[in-house]
Amino acid sequence: MGMVSEKMYELGTKKSTIRTIFEFGRKRAAEVGEENIFDFSLGNPNVPTPEFVKQAAIDILREMEPSAVHGYTVAPGNPEVRETLAGSINARFGTKFAGKNLFLTAGAAAAITISFKALAEPGDEFIAFAPFFPEYRCFVESVGASLVVVPAQPEDFQINFTAFEGLVHAKTKAVIVNSPNNPSGAVYSEQTIRRLADILRKKSKEYGHPIFIISDEPYREIAYEGYEVPYVTKYYENTLVCYSYSKSFSLPGERIGYIVVPDEVEDFGRIYGAVAGAARVLTHVNAPSLWQLVVARCAGKPSDISTYARNGQMLYQGLIDAGFDCVKPQGAFYLFPKALEEDDYAFCERAKKYDLLLVPGADFGCPGYFRVAYCIKTETIERSLPLFKQLAAEYR
Amino acid sequence: MGMVSEKMYELGTKKSTIRTIFEFGRKRAAEVGEENIFDFSLGNPNVPTPEFVKQAAIDILREMEPSAVHGYTVAPGNPEVRETLAGSINARFGTKFAGKNLFLTAGAAAAITISFKALAEPGDEFIAFAPFFPEYRCFVESVGASLVVVPAQPEDFQINFTAFEGLVHAKTKAVIVNSPNNPSGAVYSEQTIRRLADILRKKSKEYGHPIFIISDEPYREIAYEGYEVPYVTKYYENTLVCYSYSKSFSLPGERIGYIVVPDEVEDFGRIYGAVAGAARVLTHVNAPSLWQLVVARCAGKPSDISTYARNGQMLYQGLIDAGFDCVKPQGAFYLFPKALEEDDYAFCERAKKYDLLLVPGADFGCPGYFRVAYCIKTETIERSLPLFKQLAAEYR
């Protein structure tokens, strides 16, 4: 008998590449000064939390009975909050949700893991499209299922449907859609979502059970002019939506988000029930109660994405000018250019000479590319552009 | 292939006895009026959140940079917060923790499940002492281990050591200690903890691996005059402490607590690492960030337990006067008297005639008893006492 779970020990101590790069950056910053480090490693929103969010929190703390603010809520979340959020989604997207369709969670990470755990049976497969958020693998495997990765379609980072169709099996339980995408910055077009829905409908019929879409949407509000993010439940009935306020209201530390289970899923009662059970064993108890009230008060208020839009445009132009091959920024706050040599790790190592901290694409299931998170100071991006030029010049 | 996980569906839809009683109470209250219902079913703190907690939250929101308040913290929690909390524990209990010994969590439910998941290997057994918090079973089984229950010692609700010694095996991974206890209201004496530590030391040696104590302490601050709650790490080296501010600061909805991993455990690095891994797969990300800062500002400030002390004393005296057999209130906000007939479900059904809502002891692994949660209005308790007398008179 060992002392601890070996698997948990490994998961808790093996540093992610992103974390390793970030820590290297902190060390370098101490040596050469903060202003000389160009850290594009972390997806931590740098737009401040909106003033109206702060004010809502203060007002709630001041005006309401403490037990109404800080008491346990029912496990799916405060019923009035859920009604308000459902109404806000409906007003924006023409959906018809009620409070009973929402299950509030401690952010999107909890929302997607609860969804995985609710659905997963032994031997199930979940499909992700490269490039993808690396924690998906850890979350899917933790519920006893396995992750199947569809190779990227690097010319536009939409879905590689040919590869996808070959990978859907009788054991496929669900497909993870993440748009606007981390790390590619692409927004799946309406056409992409329609085609995905058609294939899944056909395959669900063929295999005699629904194949779900789990739409992981923390970046939904960060979509730039000309790019609409289709609301997936309108295109495909067996969809669970996982949302978070981490990026839209810059509240990543507070852990607040939700799962939408539409009426149209194959058996609402069974699925919502399984979501509740999964939340229970993941000891979710309830989403933080103050933040439930805050997001209800701020429902429908806009996210300020102008900084991200400006940063993305500037960085994109700079990279193109330097000779990089890169899809235009469409949403989220990432670019995912092609590395200038085949080995993306070697490329990112070389970039370090210029104190450009980039994340290898292999970490996202897409070797030969690299991720640049531009949720940093605009001025830092501006000063980084000549360095990208120098880096590119090395390869000529 | 089914559609959802059958197990999750069951866990999410099978109502707990407590929840069923509570919902019955809400229905009855609508019929006969709130003031005519004596709902002793829920352990929801009724003492308001202290003013200093509210003020700390408002001050933090007003004075600090939003990104410092609402940004991601490192997974174990804000390092300064952890230092402050460690210092506060040390000042109160003479321990020697540093920030690195703490791992902040979304309340005690997360803390204990993370601890279970960090330690559990296939086939492991965790031991609980009846009466016990019923969710332990669900949490232990969810990490693939099994729960072994030591029968109660009803004369004082300390530990039944004879039964315990017979139930410790080579497969025993840990023992769950919950003092002040839900549901008995007992506080384990120093003598109890010493004897438990001696047995576990002997058994750990015999089986060649440490048997841990997981000390679940959400009620630590609610201990009445004359009852000290020993700090378990001082008596037994392989102890993990799980703490929560839900009861001490009446913040159950906000989900804030911590795990203490002392330096003295057999292999600090492996255990803390496994805790981090378990938190990761339970998608804990970080404990809600505002509340991390709030509890650090309020560290060491007292909990007001005077209402619970008054309620407990009044209810205890009333039950004794009515002829019930009951251990004196020592801590938490529960009494656990003997039912007046063998079948505690039948007894609680009978109590409903008087609109006394009580929870059968069988739910806590201790049939023949019932739980009375006295975290309700003092005046309601006062008015309930004649009803308990009438109920008891039926049995004479």
Side-chain angles (χ1 to χ4, degrees):
Chain A
M1 188 196 221
M3 193 172 51
V4 300
S5 157
E6 196 59 39
K7 210 165 127 194
M8 292 308 123
Y9 173 69
E10 272 169 34
L11 283 167
T13 47
K14 222 177 78 183
K15 262 183 206 157
S16 73
T17 310
I18 297 178
R19 169 66 45 188
T20 308
I21 296 168
F22 172 72
E23 286 177 5
F24 169 83
R26 294 299 81 210
K27 236 180 80 191
R28 274 295 284 166
E31 291 164 21
V32 302
E34 192 67 62
E35 70 287 2
N36 297 312
I37 291 298
F38 303 90
D39 185 352
F40 293 98
S41 69
L42 281 195
N44 211 346
N46 74 314
V47 167
T49 310
E51 190 61 29
F52 60 77
V53 171
K54 170 177 152 180
Q55 200 51 54
I58 292 173
D59 291 347
I60 289 164
L61 285 164
R62 282 197 153 160
E63 294 160 14
M64 284 179 66
E65 267 297 314
S67 66
V69 181
H70 307 301
Y72 289 113
T73 71
V74 292
N78 181 319
E80 285 171 39
V81 166
R82 285 184 284 141
E83 283 302 330
T84 303
L85 299 182
S88 166
I89 301 168
N90 295 343
R92 291 179 60 201
F93 304 110
T95 47
K96 285 179 182 160
F97 304 130
K100 73 169 175 55
N101 298 109
L102 269 67
F103 195 102
L104 304 187
T105 63
I112 55 179
T113 309
I114 289 170
S115 301
F116 294 165
K117 190 150 185 102
L119 299 177
E121 296 169 283
D124 276 0
E125 293 180 356
F126 287 72
I127 290 181
F129 301 104
F132 65 94
F133 177 49
E135 288 292 280
Y136 287 158
R137 185 178 298 281
C138 162
F139 298 164
V140 164
E141 289 174 356
S142 79
V143 305
S146 58
L147 188 76
V148 171
V149 177
V150 178
Q153 178 166 294
E155 55 280 19
D156 58 3
F157 292 119
Q158 299 287 312
I159 292 173
N160 179 340
F161 283 107
T162 318
F164 171 61
E165 288 208 57
L167 289 167
V168 182
H169 299 296
K171 294 195 151 197
T172 307
K173 179 50 75 70
V175 168
I176 308 163
V177 163
N178 174 222
S179 164
N181 186 263
N182 173 13
S184 76
V187 172
Y188 287 170
S189 67
E190 189 175 25
Q191 196 193 344
T192 293
I193 298 295
R194 276 194 200 284
R195 191 161 164 201
L196 178 63
D198 287 346
I199 294 170
L200 289 179
R201 245 177 238 122
K202 191 184 76 186
K203 295 278 186 179
S204 294
K205 209 168 155 185
E206 186 179 337
Y207 297 123
H209 64 82
I211 300 173
F212 293 88
I213 292 179
I214 294 172
S215 184
D216 178 25
E217 309 192 345
Y219 300 99
R220 164 165 286 280
E221 320 309 339
I222 309 176
Y224 305 127
E225 233 189 294
Y227 297 95
E228 292 265 330
V229 186
Y231 207 88
V232 184
T233 63
K234 294 163 69 178
Y235 300 85
Y236 188 64
E237 47 286 2
N238 284 306
T239 299
L240 304 186
V241 176
C242 298
Y243 185 79
S244 159
Y245 293 90
S246 291
K247 319 302 191 208
S248 53
F249 284 165
S250 295
L251 291 171
E254 306 297 356
R255 315 310 305 143
I256 181 78
Y258 56 76
I259 302 168
V260 179
V261 183
D263 285 336
E264 291 75 16
V265 293
E266 188 144 320
D267 185 337
F268 175 81
R270 284 191 70 73
I271 294 170
Y272 199 88
V275 162
R280 182 175 169 198
V281 300
L282 289 163
T283 44
H284 189 271
V285 185
N286 60 235
S289 52
L290 169 68
W291 297 104
Q292 294 189 27
L293 298 169
V294 170
V295 298
R297 280 215 190 177
C298 301
K301 295 211 174 153
S303 304
D304 178 8
I305 64 166
S306 60
T307 303
Y308 300 137
R310 189 169 56 242
N311 284 2
Q313 202 45 51
M314 177 190 290
L315 182 62
Y316 171 73
Q317 202 51 58
L319 289 171
I320 294 295
D321 291 349
F324 283 89
D325 188 359
C326 182
V327 171
K328 259 177 94 166
Q330 303 179 7
F333 34 56
Y334 307 104
L335 287 178
F336 201 65
K338 202 164 181 341
L340 297 176
E341 57 186 299
E342 219 170 292
D343 180 344
D344 47 323
Y345 280 91
F347 173 77
C348 292
E349 244 347 275
R350 206 147 162 182
K352 272 190 191 168
K353 276 200 312 190
Y354 301 92
D355 286 314
L356 294 169
L357 307 185
L358 314 171
V359 184
D363 257 51
F364 305 94
C366 198
Y369 290 76
F370 63 98
R371 188 184 80 166
V372 197
Y374 55 78
C375 44
I376 61 173
K377 282 188 199 150
T378 308
E379 185 254 353
T380 304
I381 294 173
E382 211 166 355
R383 289 191 298 109
S384 76
L385 299 181
L387 301 170
F388 278 108
K389 274 202 176 137
Q390 288 174 48
L391 172 63
E394 284 199 27
Y395 287 92
R396 260 181 234 124
Chain B
M1 190 194 221
M3 193 172 51
V4 299
S5 158
E6 196 58 39
K7 211 165 124 194
M8 292 308 124
Y9 174 69
E10 272 169 34
L11 282 167
T13 48
K14 222 178 77 185
K15 264 183 206 157
S16 73
T17 309
I18 297 178
R19 170 65 47 188
T20 308
I21 296 168
F22 171 72
E23 287 176 5
F24 169 83
R26 295 298 82 211
K27 236 180 79 191
R28 274 294 285 166
E31 290 163 22
V32 301
E34 193 67 62
E35 70 285 2
N36 297 312
I37 291 298
F38 302 90
D39 185 352
F40 293 98
S41 69
L42 282 194
N44 212 346
N46 74 314
V47 166
T49 310
E51 190 60 28
F52 61 77
V53 170
K54 170 178 153 180
Q55 200 50 55
I58 292 173
D59 291 348
I60 289 164
L61 286 164
R62 283 196 151 160
E63 294 160 14
M64 285 178 66
E65 268 297 314
S67 66
V69 180
H70 308 300
Y72 288 113
T73 71
V74 292
N78 182 319
E80 285 171 39
V81 166
R82 285 184 284 140
E83 283 302 330
T84 303
L85 299 183
S88 166
I89 301 169
N90 295 343
R92 289 178 62 200
F93 304 110
T95 47
K96 285 178 181 161
F97 304 129
K100 72 168 175 56
N101 297 109
L102 269 67
F103 195 102
L104 303 188
T105 63
I112 56 178
T113 309
I114 290 170
S115 301
F116 294 165
K117 191 154 184 97
L119 299 177
E121 295 169 284
D124 276 0
E125 293 179 355
F126 287 72
I127 290 181
F129 301 104
F132 65 94
F133 178 48
E135 288 292 279
Y136 288 159
R137 185 178 298 281
C138 163
F139 299 164
V140 164
E141 289 175 357
S142 79
V143 303
S146 57
L147 188 75
V148 171
V149 177
V150 178
Q153 178 167 297
E155 54 279 20
D156 57 4
F157 292 118
Q158 300 287 312
I159 292 173
N160 179 339
F161 282 108
T162 317
F164 172 61
E165 288 209 57
L167 289 167
V168 183
H169 300 295
K171 294 196 151 194
T172 307
K173 180 50 75 71
V175 168
I176 309 163
V177 163
N178 173 222
S179 164
N181 185 263
N182 173 13
S184 76
V187 172
Y188 287 170
S189 67
E190 188 175 26
Q191 194 194 345
T192 294
I193 298 295
R194 275 194 200 285
R195 190 159 164 202
L196 177 63
D198 286 345
I199 294 170
L200 289 179
R201 244 176 239 123
K202 190 185 76 188
K203 296 277 186 179
S204 294
K205 208 167 156 185
E206 186 179 336
Y207 297 122
H209 65 81
I211 300 172
F212 293 87
I213 290 178
I214 295 173
S215 184
D216 178 25
E217 309 192 343
Y219 299 99
R220 163 166 288 281
E221 320 309 338
I222 309 175
Y224 306 127
E225 233 189 293
Y227 298 94
E228 292 266 328
V229 185
Y231 207 88
V232 184
T233 63
K234 294 164 69 178
Y235 299 85
Y236 188 64
E237 48 285 2
N238 284 307
T239 299
L240 305 185
V241 176
C242 297
Y243 185 80
S244 160
Y245 292 90
S246 291
K247 318 301 191 209
S248 53
F249 285 165
S250 295
L251 290 171
E254 306 297 357
R255 315 310 305 145
I256 182 78
Y258 56 77
I259 302 168
V260 179
V261 183
D263 285 336
E264 290 75 16
V265 293
E266 186 143 322
D267 186 336
F268 175 81
R270 285 190 70 73
I271 294 170
Y272 199 88
V275 162
R280 182 175 169 198
V281 299
L282 290 164
T283 44
H284 190 271
V285 184
N286 60 234
S289 52
L290 169 67
W291 297 105
Q292 293 189 28
L293 298 170
V294 170
V295 298
R297 281 216 189 176
C298 300
K301 295 211 175 155
S303 305
D304 178 8
I305 63 166
S306 60
T307 304
Y308 300 138
R310 189 169 55 242
N311 285 1
Q313 202 46 51
M314 178 191 288
L315 182 62
Y316 171 72
Q317 200 53 57
L319 288 171
I320 295 295
D321 291 350
F324 283 88
D325 188 0
C326 182
V327 171
K328 259 177 94 165
Q330 304 179 6
F333 35 55
Y334 307 105
L335 287 178
F336 201 64
K338 202 165 183 338
L340 297 176
E341 57 185 299
E342 219 170 290
D343 180 343
D344 47 323
Y345 280 91
F347 173 77
C348 292
E349 246 345 276
R350 207 149 163 182
K352 272 190 190 167
K353 276 201 311 190
Y354 300 92
D355 286 314
L356 293 170
L357 306 186
L358 314 171
V359 184
D363 257 50
F364 305 94
C366 198
Y369 290 76
F370 64 98
R371 189 183 81 166
V372 196
Y374 55 78
C375 44
I376 61 173
K377 283 188 200 150
T378 308
E379 185 253 351
T380 305
I381 293 172
E382 211 166 354
R383 288 191 299 109
S384 75
L385 299 182
L387 301 170
F388 277 110
K389 273 202 176 136
Q390 288 173 47
L391 172 63
E394 284 200 27
Y395 286 92
R396 259 180 235 121

